[in-house]
Amino acid sequence: MEKVIVKLENIKKSYGDKSIIKNLNLEIYEGEILTFLGPSGCGKTTILRMISGLEDATSGKIYLDGKDMTGVEAKDREINTIFQSYALFPHMNVYDNIAFGLKMKKVPKEEIAKKVKEMLELVKLTGYEKRKPSELSGGEQQRVAIARALINNPKVLLLDEPLSALDKKLKKQMRIELKELQQKLGITFIYVTHDQSEALSLSNRIMLMHNGKIVELTTPKDLYEHPKTKFAADFIGDANIFSGKVLNIKETFAEVLINADFKIIINNDNFKENDKVTIVIRPENIKLVTKDKDYNTYNIKIKSSIYDGAYYTVIAKMETNKELKILLPKDKYELLKDKDMLKVHFSFEDMVIIKGER
Amino acid sequence: MKDKLFKKIITIPVIVYALVLILLPLIYIFILSFLKSDSYGGVINVFNLGNYLKIFDMVYIKVFVQSFLIALVTTLICILIAYPFCLFISQKKKKTQTLLMALVILPFLTNSLIRTYGWIVLLRKEGVINTILLNLNIIDNPLSLMYNNLGIIIGMVYTLLPFMILPLYSSISKIDNRLIEASKDLGAGSMATFFKVIVPSTVTGLFNGSLMVFIPCIGYFFIADLLGGGKLMLLGNLIKNQFLTARNWPFGAAISITLLIITFVLVKLYKKTGGKMDDLGGF
């Protein structure tokens, strides 16, 4: 079993009567990238701030490497943060910004100089020592912020939406660099974002949050392919989501009624009649077929499409008036686009079934 | 087009005001400073530099030095009071901040001369402060709180403190709170955060406030007169005396011009530190 580096025990946080975090328990393993993902206002940044010590929990305990952090100030925790807009000190040059933490620890000057040099090499900014933050591009500022945090050799690095200020291309590049950096150094990263694609590509585990509670805590692959909640299915990636009731059960199958004449057959998993069921199908898993299959074949009409280089996202209308999102490779779409009527098939293995209404 | 014309028209009164009431008297003072006075307080139209040379007399140099020392001490005390005060209110809720700043500005609504008289009631030997301290048996003999340098400095600090607080508050309230958090996150305590992050980020406000305190402090003759008991001669008193008592207008004018030049140098220095002129006229 991996070593637990940060542990949150019954953490609650409220501002006045407003409860932000409702009894949170969490174990974070050494060397992993754990992402707090959720819509804004879900409490993810608040948890990060409580771990860093910039904010106190209303109740509950936080342990760092087994030690209770209650009453330990931010400055005395072996945790560093990369802030959303970097928060570089504008009056200091790059060297002084990076050296700040070691200066506070009264490390000898020569050693600081050596460490800063190493850090600049690590983030590929050698030669930038004398520049002021205002003279740097967004990506460069980001790297200075990383160097400034990592020079303290923290046990845990907290990243609060670190890429949100960058443009799309730089974002993708920094994502890769961050991941490489983490693998090289082996430091635990706790990463906060509301961007699901960032979370999927970076994390070892994702903690999906909503209204101050954990919705799901699992690997990116599991979260995307086997969401256990409607919220997760909807929040992560594109999805076609159909909610309905079990109409009747035929041995190993269950027939789910979505609306008047739209039924979907699913595998029977101890269902009873009238059980509420949510069916999730990712756009890339919808198969076009030429002939009717034994089950779940539907006629559709293409309504509109969005070109995305390699793929088309097709919005189609089903006979039951429901809309369907389908992801099609370019060549396939171009073959089919002029056809009046198409058939699609939902296979058992491509549907994710969520029991209940969650 | 119309807009531009309108803008020009509404600025005319201001320009006239500045020309007639500021620039013309200034030119007059400047010319006056190169003339001679006769023994009856009149002015003789003879060009000479005598008035400026006279300033280098030890008597007057002493007045300059005294004035600058009082102004310096006043400025330092204002900084020491204003920083904690501004940091304190900047952490309050927005509403509370507005209220507290209104309280700082409120005294401006009354005449500063009258407020200085108020201080006499508080500070004199039989005044409120001494009476209370005597009755509480904290002191045996009344303290000399006025008619000395202490009185002048108390009066100056009181009158000029808002000029330090306003620009400093404006600077401090602009600090990105994340910088302070970053500093703590990187292991800095409160003191280190204050000196390494807060002070450098508010240097403009600090210089601005210092200038706004230092310069008037040299000229506020009535505070030196009322609370200093006329014992200490400051530049403001000297100028006033030359015009009203000694009736040596050209010499008074020369001192005024010298003070003006010193002020200009200070403002230049302020600009060099990155200060903006807008901030000086900001309220």
Side-chain angles (χ1 to χ4, degrees), chain B residues 62-78 148-157 160 213-214 216-220 223-224 228 232-235 237:
Chain B
K62 203 180 148 202
V63 174
F64 270 86
V65 171
Q66 276 169 354
S67 299
F68 285 137
L69 278 179
I70 292 276
L72 194 68
V73 172
T74 303
T75 309
L76 287 177
I77 293 173
C78 282
N148 53 23
N149 291 355
L150 179 66
I152 297 177
I153 288 170
I154 290 174
M156 291 286 188
V157 168
L160 296 169
V213 170
F214 191 89
C217 193
I218 297 168
Y220 273 14
I223 291 174
L232 192 75
M233 174 84 76
L234 298 185
L235 265 179
N237 306 77

Side-chain angles (χ1 to χ4, degrees), chain B residues 125-143:
Chain B
K125 284 237 153 65
E126 316 78 44
V128 177
I129 293 172
N130 273 320
T131 312
I132 291 172
L133 291 178
L134 281 171
N135 285 341
L136 292 173
N137 284 327
I138 295 169
I139 51 169
D140 296 327
N141 295 307
L143 301 169

Side-chain angles (χ1 to χ4, degrees), chain B residues 12-282:
Chain B
I12 286 175
V14 184
I15 294 167
V16 171
Y17 175 91
L19 279 177
V20 176
L21 295 174
I22 299 174
L23 191 65
L24 287 181
L26 210 57
I27 293 170
Y28 176 62
I29 294 283
F30 183 72
I31 295 168
L32 198 60
S33 71
F34 292 103
L35 303 180
K36 246 184 168 165
S37 75
D38 65 16
S39 26
Y40 303 104
V43 176
I44 311 166
N45 292 335
V46 181
F47 176 86
N48 76 109
L49 293 170
N51 298 317
Y52 285 98
L53 295 174
K54 202 171 159 189
I55 291 172
F56 291 96
D57 199 47
M58 265 326 281
V59 185
Y60 301 117
I61 286 184
K62 203 180 148 202
V63 174
F64 270 86
V65 171
Q66 276 169 354
S67 299
F68 285 137
L69 278 179
I70 292 276
L72 194 68
V73 172
T74 303
T75 309
L76 287 177
I77 293 173
C78 282
I79 292 173
L80 289 180
I81 298 173
Y83 250 121
F85 179 80
C86 292
L87 284 174
F88 171 75
I89 52 175
S90 68
Q91 279 153 14
K92 297 275 164 254
K93 281 190 207 128
K94 218 58 256 143
K95 258 191 185 167
T96 322
Q97 287 191 20
T98 315
L99 184 74
L100 287 169
M101 286 315 287
L103 288 178
V104 170
I105 300 165
L106 201 62
F108 277 121
L109 297 177
T110 54
N111 183 293
S112 59
L113 191 62
I114 292 167
R115 281 183 283 139
T116 309
Y117 273 112
W119 274 102
I120 298 180
V121 179
L122 290 174
L123 295 178
R124 65 196 167 125
K125 284 237 153 65
E126 316 78 44
V128 177
I129 293 172
N130 273 320
T131 312
I132 291 172
L133 291 178
L134 281 171
N135 285 341
L136 292 173
N137 284 327
I138 295 169
I139 51 169
D140 296 327
N141 295 307
L143 301 169
S144 308
L145 297 172
M146 57 179 288
Y147 300 133
N148 53 23
N149 291 355
L150 179 66
I152 297 177
I153 288 170
I154 290 174
M156 291 286 188
V157 168
Y158 165 74
T159 312
L160 296 169
L161 186 60
F163 292 100
M164 181 64 81
I165 289 177
L166 288 172
L168 202 56
Y169 169 72
S170 128
S171 251
I172 284 178
S173 59
K174 269 184 223 142
I175 297 182
D176 185 352
N177 197 41
R178 267 174 302 211
L179 292 182
I180 295 166
E181 291 189 341
S183 166
K184 287 181 181 160
D185 185 72
L186 291 164
S190 306
M191 282 307 252
T193 302
F194 178 73
F195 286 109
K196 300 261 175 195
V197 178
I198 296 175
V199 172
S201 309
T202 51
V203 102
T204 317
L206 187 65
F207 269 96
N208 189 343
S210 301
L211 220 52
M212 303 286 286
V213 170
F214 191 89
I215 293 169
C217 193
I218 297 168
Y220 273 14
F221 59 84
F222 61 91
I223 291 174
D225 276 350
L226 293 176
L227 298 176
K231 279 184 219 158
L232 192 75
M233 174 84 76
L234 298 185
L235 265 179
N237 306 77
L238 181 62
I239 295 168
K240 189 198 82 175
N241 287 347
Q242 290 308 316
F243 277 95
L244 300 181
T245 317
R247 297 199 55 80
N248 187 348
W249 284 33
F251 183 48
I255 306 167
S256 301
I257 295 294
T258 311
L259 186 56
L260 199 65
I261 292 167
I262 293 171
T263 309
F264 266 123
V265 171
L266 288 176
V267 172
K268 259 278 172 309
L269 279 176
Y270 164 71
K271 274 170 109 173
K272 260 206 166 147
T273 63
K276 289 189 195 77
M277 290 316 288
D278 285 358
D279 293 340
L280 281 182

Side-chain angles (χ1 to χ4, degrees), chain A residues 29 40 56 101 106 119 121 131-132 144 168 193 195 222 224 231 251 271 294 316-317 320 344:
Chain A
Y29 303 121
S40 49
D56 291 323
K106 308 245 164 6
M119 279 300 143
E121 269 166 35
R131 300 223 196 155
K132 284 276 172 74
V144 176
K168 207 175 168 187
T193 185
D195 181 336
D222 194 40
Y224 184 80
F231 180 80
E251 293 155 41
F271 286 117
D294 301 340
K317 200 153 205 176
T320 58
V344 291

Side-chain angles (χ1 to χ4, degrees), chain A residues 49 52 54 74-75 79-81 83-85 87-92 97 100-101 104 148-149 152, chain B residues 176-190 192-193 195-201:
Chain A
R49 290 170 60 82
S52 72
L54 291 171
K75 72 179 178 81
I79 296 175
N80 288 108
T81 309
F83 292 86
Q84 194 165 5
S85 48
L88 298 178
F89 303 123
H91 54 280
M92 295 181 196
N97 261 290
F100 191 87
M104 289 304 121
R148 186 178 70 170
N152 305 294
Chain B
D176 185 352
N177 197 41
R178 267 174 302 211
L179 292 182
I180 295 166
E181 291 189 341
S183 166
K184 287 181 181 160
D185 185 72
L186 291 164
S190 306
T193 302
F195 286 109
K196 300 261 175 195
V197 178
I198 296 175
V199 172
S201 309

